[in-house]
Amino acid sequence: MIMLMMGGKFEPWLCTSEVQNRDVASRMEAVLQNVANAAELLAVAAHSDAVKRWDASRLSRAFHWARYCQQLHSKVHNHATMRRDLEEQLLHTNGRLQTVFPGYEGVSLSDLSRCQHLLLVGLMNNPELPIDLLKLLFDPKSLALFPHNELAGLCSGIIQCKSACTVLGVFPDSSPCGADAEVLGLVLMQRLDALLTQDSDVQPAEHFLDSVLQGCEGAAGRFYLAVAAALLTSPKSQMQTASQDFLLDWLQKPHRELQHMCSTLPTTLLRDLAKAHQKFRDSYYAVLKCWASGMEYSVDEGEWVHTSQTVSFPRLVEHFLTLLELHPGLRDNVEQELNALKCSDGDFDVRGLSVWGDLLSALRRGTIG
């Protein structure tokens, strides 16, 4: 059975004096087996439910193995005879694995030079990967568990690299959410794609989002930025469009995540989301009306205040003005509805009697003061 599934050990013959003393035939046999095991590891990581039984130790061994394979490739890629033997071994192993895992596409000898990357991508796209291990990939503090540093904060390293490239001007940061949120948003979409493709039941995908949010306690803003980045990603398939629709629906669940998101993110980013998604625009507008309806006029402060301190009146006006920037027709519709709500309050023009009247006046002035 596949070595990583059984918890087997690899034999880094290139690094130990004991193995180096063996005859050439024995060494070559060990290398061929190690290469076969590398292909098996990548297949299991991407396509097997065996990963749901992995723990941090098994994950560390997997990346240690991938690191060894990269070292192996660097030593043999210029050796013609060894290359031929290894490529034949991979051809045989790929054929065997494709009968076990229909979605497995096979690996080439050159793929071993980026074995850690392929392992990471495979794991992130496997819906069976436990959420705790997925979080571990993003945790720089995991360095204490992985002394070789092949796993610790691996995804965080990707984020740092992209952030550094953006600062240095290597490529423009096209995402208004920031480089780190862009990477996290991509991972979020890949994970949702995998979960929603696997089963018509949406509960696993809901559980995934709930777990990630729970794990971001105290840093929910980072999660909402990742959600925004995921929603602003241009979908390249119907599956990605479905994942974005699912994400929009999840935000409107009873736990009020959409309200938390709207109170956390910059209004410019909310405007971009409203422009990209009609469903988000309608929901955003509903959130703003909900906030307004929860306000009371404070005589002491001479201002409308929210009963739960969710948002201030000037901030509410700013949100409305941002939304109304999208197109003139929306402004007309919003003003008509606010005027109707004002009339239902008695159609008074005196400040402090109707939040809808004061809000309408502020919007017509185009100011937040």
Side-chain angles (χ1 to χ4, degrees):
M1 199 58 193
I2 295 173
M3 184 171 293
L4 261 293
M5 291 174 66
M6 302 300 294
K9 298 180 179 179
F10 69 88
E11 192 172 17
W13 65 275
L14 292 171
C15 305
T16 64
S17 59
E18 179 183 351
V19 181
Q20 287 176 348
N21 292 330
R22 294 180 181 178
D23 58 86
V24 174
S26 297
R27 286 185 290 171
M28 192 61 199
E29 183 179 352
V31 172
L32 291 173
Q33 185 58 53
N34 286 341
V35 168
N37 289 336
E40 292 175 345
L41 166 63
L42 295 176
V44 169
H47 303 287
S48 174
D49 63 357
V51 298
K52 66 185 177 183
R53 296 185 292 275
W54 285 18
D55 55 14
S57 176
R58 184 68 59 83
L59 190 63
S60 177
R61 292 204 303 274
F63 276 90
H64 194 181
W65 182 280
R67 183 169 174 263
Y68 157 72
C69 290
Q70 291 181 185
Q71 295 174 345
L72 174 63
H73 177 271
S74 68
K75 293 181 180 295
V76 305
H77 76 282
N78 288 326
H79 196 294
T81 302
M82 293 186 71
R83 281 185 62 91
R84 184 182 66 251
D85 292 343
L86 293 173
E87 287 169 350
E88 289 180 359
Q89 176 66 60
L90 282 174
L91 183 63
H92 170 73
T93 303
N94 285 335
R96 176 169 54 83
L97 290 172
Q98 284 168 344
T99 63
V100 180
F101 305 110
Y104 175 71
E105 297 181 356
V107 294
S108 64
L109 185 60
S110 61
D111 286 333
L112 297 184
S113 65
R114 56 193 186 101
C115 198
Q116 288 189 101
H117 171 75
L118 294 176
L119 177 59
L120 174 64
V121 172
L123 288 170
M124 289 194 303
N125 284 299
N126 190 334
E128 300 295 342
L129 183 69
I131 186 66
D132 290 343
L133 296 188
L134 185 65
K135 292 177 183 177
L136 194 62
L137 291 170
F138 285 91
D139 186 5
K141 297 178 182 178
S142 61
L143 177 60
L145 297 175
F146 309 99
H148 294 286
N149 199 25
E150 64 276 338
L151 174 59
L154 190 55
C155 291
S156 292
I158 297 174
I159 292 170
Q160 292 169 4
C161 178
K162 178 157 188 184
S163 297
C165 290
T166 301
V167 172
L168 294 173
V170 176
F171 57 84
D173 181 14
S174 57
S175 171
C177 306
D180 57 344
E182 186 178 354
V183 175
L184 291 172
L186 177 61
V187 173
L188 194 67
M189 288 299 295
Q190 289 177 335
R191 186 71 169 173
L192 286 177
D193 289 349
L195 289 169
L196 294 173
T197 302
Q198 180 191 37
D199 198 337
S200 58
D201 184 6
V202 299
Q203 286 189 349
E206 291 178 344
H207 175 69
F208 164 66
L209 291 174
D210 293 341
S211 299
V212 173
L213 178 60
Q214 185 178 6
C216 292
E217 185 176 358
R222 189 182 185 211
F223 172 74
Y224 295 132
L225 280 172
V227 169
L231 291 173
L232 291 174
T233 301
S234 298
K236 298 179 181 179
S237 66
Q238 290 184 344
M239 186 65 252
Q240 291 178 341
T241 300
S243 294
Q244 288 184 335
D245 286 341
F246 171 81
L247 191 53
L248 287 167
D249 290 338
W250 178 83
L251 286 171
Q252 298 177 69
K253 293 293 182 179
H255 41 42
R256 297 184 177 181
E257 290 314 321
L258 183 61
Q259 290 199 37
H260 296 320
M261 182 176 177
C262 291
S263 64
T264 301
L265 296 182
T267 53
T268 53
L269 187 53
L270 295 171
R271 178 198 59 207
D272 292 341
L273 289 168
K275 185 176 181 180
H277 298 280
Q278 174 73 44
K279 185 182 292 186
F280 183 88
R281 184 167 71 223
D282 295 342
S283 300
Y284 181 30
Y285 179 41
V287 166
L288 298 187
K289 288 190 293 181
C290 178
W291 284 346
S293 65
M295 287 189 162
E296 297 178 352
Y297 191 78
S298 172
V299 177
D300 294 336
E301 297 183 25
E303 186 62 276
W304 290 95
V305 296
H306 199 278
T307 52
S308 61
Q309 298 182 337
T310 301
V311 64
S312 67
F313 186 76
R315 178 70 171 165
L316 177 65
V317 174
E318 181 184 357
H319 277 287
F320 265 102
L321 289 173
T322 299
L323 184 63
L324 298 184
E325 288 177 4
L326 294 178
H327 58 80
L330 181 60
R331 171 180 282 273
D332 293 340
N333 292 336
V334 169
E335 288 189 355
Q336 288 179 10
E337 183 171 1
L338 293 181
N339 191 60
L341 290 169
K342 174 194 171 187
C343 291
S344 67
D345 279 348
D347 199 20
F348 299 107
D349 291 324
V350 179
R351 178 175 171 79
L353 293 182
S354 171
V355 67
W356 309 110
D358 289 353
L359 181 58
L360 186 59
S361 298
L363 295 179
R364 287 173 174 169
R365 293 196 306 270
T367 63
I368 62 176

